[in-house]
Amino acid sequence: MELTPLCWQLWGSGSQCVRTGRRRSTVYNWRSQSLTQHQDMMELTPLCWLLLLLSTLVYCSLGQGGDGAVILESLALPVTGGDSVTLRCRYQGTPSNLTADFYKDGSLIMTETTGEMTIPAVSKSDEGLYKCNNSEGESPESWMTVTDISLPDSLSVSPDRSQFFKYESVFLSCEVQGNSAGWRVVRNAERGILSECHTDWGKQQGSSCIVLLIPSDSGVYWCESGSGEHSNAVNITVHDGAVILECPALPVTEGDSVTLRCRYQVTPSNLTADFYKDGSLIRTETTGEMSIPAVSKSDEGLYKCNNSEGESPESWMTVTAVPVLSMSLTRLLCSLLVGSPYLLVTIILLVKGCRSRTQGETTVPRKTHQDQLVIMLKKSEAEIT
């Protein structure tokens, strides 16, 4: 170890001398006749680092609110459209239900003397950033997520298939949330004519329609309101041949079991059949049925079948993904730890205890380093003089 006279002479309170070695740099501080070696990183045990991480997550969920007296009790997880949601502006002391102002995206939306704001049927438009305040202070802001996992208005088909033989019947119904008055079944047939049920086709029953099918009834069907609102659309094919493919007309959900049937119009109807997807042969079944135990998005496509009696038209099968309420790991942990001050205090105390223990364990090595360095400094001083 080489120490220049300047380095030795300048050592005093607050000054430092650096020895650069091959393995690492070590910084020595001369403070009141004592030496302290600073490591590149505090030597905490893995348990201490885990506790430190948890305390950081708690801080990220509580940090915005600090140690204030008011919080907004809102749901951490997403809510579903149509559910009833209550937000509470809660004061830490008594009484806790003071008159409160509620804000959404920075704008005042409601003042409640009970300190509670209720949304009877939440919708996508209610999604946003909420906060509240009362005479004791203001809460942090919280984001409320609203999910819509289904179409509000839809057309149902019974039986649920997209292909029919001539003279078979189909029941079409408008499933509308609330009052279905004013909704009707509409179609755009192969002839390109847009028309309503009960004009020159079908028999209307409220917002439903029963159709005795003929080939000219092939087309796209949907529900429509008087104000121009539309439901999902369904493609129906009426075949004048001997073979059809019984394939769901409505979208199927990932994970569901789906069975496709290659149906012959007369007996026996379950002849050996070849099944095709997007023009390629995928399976041959002696029962005339092809089952997909758990359908996935990759199964979506254009299907048809054939047997010894003929070939069916093609039909598109739609597969919808399962709605996933996703949340980042950090946000989830923060949400779970919100409102746990006792846990936060415990973690902080544990971390402090770990740090104190680590410092206690490194006391003896530090004395050893000090003794060695003092001896080396004295030798260097003797050589210089």
Side-chain angles (χ1 to χ4, degrees), residues 24 124 142 151 154 159 164 185 219 270 317 321 329 363 376:
R24 64 178 179 179
K124 195 66 178 176
S142 291
L151 286 171
S154 62
F164 294 84
V185 177
N270 55 344
M317 183 173 73
L329 177 61
T363 300
M376 296 175 70

Side-chain angles (χ1 to χ4, degrees), residues 154-180:
S154 62
L155 171 67
S156 68
V157 182
S158 182
D160 180 14
R161 50 189 171 95
S162 56
Q163 295 184 20
F164 294 84
F165 289 117
K166 182 172 62 174
Y167 303 135
E168 286 189 317
S169 295
V170 62
F171 182 76
L172 307 172
S173 178
C174 297
E175 297 183 348
V176 182
Q177 292 186 357
N179 187 5
S180 61

Side-chain angles (χ1 to χ4, degrees), residues 72-143:
L72 175 65
E73 289 188 351
S74 62
L75 297 176
L77 298 177
V79 294
T80 305
D83 288 352
S84 176
V85 175
T86 298
L87 307 179
R88 295 179 179 87
C89 196
R90 185 174 157 212
Y91 171 48
Q92 194 172 13
T94 304
S96 62
N97 55 344
L98 301 171
T99 297
D101 296 326
F102 291 88
Y103 295 80
K104 177 179 177 285
D105 300 328
S107 300
L108 177 65
I109 55 173
M110 199 177 296
T111 299
E112 293 290 345
T113 57
T114 60
E116 296 185 359
M117 175 188 132
T118 299
I119 307 173
V122 73
S123 66
K124 195 66 178 176
S125 62
D126 294 312
E127 184 173 85
L129 201 60
Y130 288 81
K131 69 175 180 179
C132 71
N133 63 38
N134 56 29
S135 58
E136 299 299 327
E138 184 174 274
S139 75
E141 292 182 312
S142 291
W143 182 270

Side-chain angles (χ1 to χ4, degrees), residues 58-374:
V58 176
Y59 176 79
C60 78
S61 61
L62 301 179
Q64 289 184 346
D67 54 357
V70 178
I71 62 170
L72 175 65
E73 289 188 351
S74 62
L75 297 176
L77 298 177
V79 294
T80 305
D83 288 352
S84 176
V85 175
T86 298
L87 307 179
R88 295 179 179 87
C89 196
R90 185 174 157 212
Y91 171 48
Q92 194 172 13
T94 304
S96 62
N97 55 344
L98 301 171
T99 297
D101 296 326
F102 291 88
Y103 295 80
K104 177 179 177 285
D105 300 328
S107 300
L108 177 65
I109 55 173
M110 199 177 296
T111 299
E112 293 290 345
T113 57
T114 60
E116 296 185 359
M117 175 188 132
T118 299
I119 307 173
V122 73
S123 66
K124 195 66 178 176
S125 62
D126 294 312
E127 184 173 85
L129 201 60
Y130 288 81
K131 69 175 180 179
C132 71
N133 63 38
N134 56 29
S135 58
E136 299 299 327
E138 184 174 274
S139 75
E141 292 182 312
S142 291
W143 182 270
M144 182 172 71
T145 301
V146 180
T147 60
D148 187 6
I149 61 175
S150 61
L151 286 171
D153 310 304
S154 62
L155 171 67
S156 68
V157 182
S158 182
D160 180 14
R161 50 189 171 95
S162 56
Q163 295 184 20
F164 294 84
F165 289 117
K166 182 172 62 174
Y167 303 135
E168 286 189 317
S169 295
V170 62
F171 182 76
L172 307 172
S173 178
C174 297
E175 297 183 348
V176 182
Q177 292 186 357
N179 187 5
S180 61
W183 284 82
R184 63 216 186 258
V185 177
V186 180
R187 81 176 186 189
N188 188 354
E190 283 186 340
R191 294 175 295 176
I193 301 174
L194 186 66
S195 58
E196 299 178 17
C197 177
H198 83 77
T199 49
D200 60 344
W201 59 275
K203 180 180 179 181
Q204 186 173 359
Q205 294 183 351
S207 60
S208 302
C209 184
I210 300 175
V211 187
L212 181 62
L213 297 166
I214 56 176
S216 61
D217 290 320
S218 296
V220 180
Y221 291 74
W222 67 90
C223 291
E224 190 172 304
S225 70
S227 58
E229 296 174 287
H230 290 258
S231 73
N232 60 307
V234 172
N235 199 334
I236 291 178
T237 300
V238 183
H239 190 41
D240 199 16
V243 178
I244 63 170
L245 174 66
E246 292 189 349
C247 177
L250 300 174
V252 294
T253 304
E254 277 188 317
D256 288 351
S257 176
V258 175
T259 299
L260 306 181
R261 295 179 178 86
C262 197
R263 183 175 156 213
Y264 176 45
Q265 192 173 16
V266 296
T267 305
S269 62
N270 55 344
L271 302 173
T272 297
D274 296 327
F275 291 87
Y276 295 79
K277 177 179 178 287
D278 299 328
S280 300
L281 177 65
I282 55 173
R283 200 180 300 180
T284 298
E285 295 288 348
T286 57
T287 60
E289 296 185 357
M290 182 186 102
S291 294
I292 307 174
V295 73
S296 66
K297 194 66 178 176
S298 62
D299 294 313
E300 185 173 84
L302 200 60
Y303 288 81
K304 71 175 182 179
C305 71
N306 62 39
N307 57 27
S308 57
E309 300 299 327
E311 184 175 272
S312 75
E314 289 184 315
S315 285
W316 182 269
M317 183 173 73
T318 300
V319 180
T320 58
V322 177
V324 177
L325 304 179
S326 61
M327 180 179 292
S328 68
L329 177 61
T330 302
R331 183 179 173 189
L332 176 60
L333 290 175
C334 286
S335 300
L336 292 174
L337 293 173
V338 165
S340 304
Y342 296 108
L343 178 60
L344 175 60
V345 171
T346 302
I347 291 173
I348 292 175
L349 291 175
L350 286 172
V351 172
K352 286 185 176 180
C354 288
R355 292 181 61 181
S356 299
R357 187 180 66 179
T358 303
Q359 291 172 359
E361 290 173 351
T362 57
T363 300
V364 174
R366 285 179 181 172
K367 289 182 179 179
T368 302
H369 289 307
Q370 177 182 343
D371 294 339
Q372 293 175 353
L373 184 57
V374 169

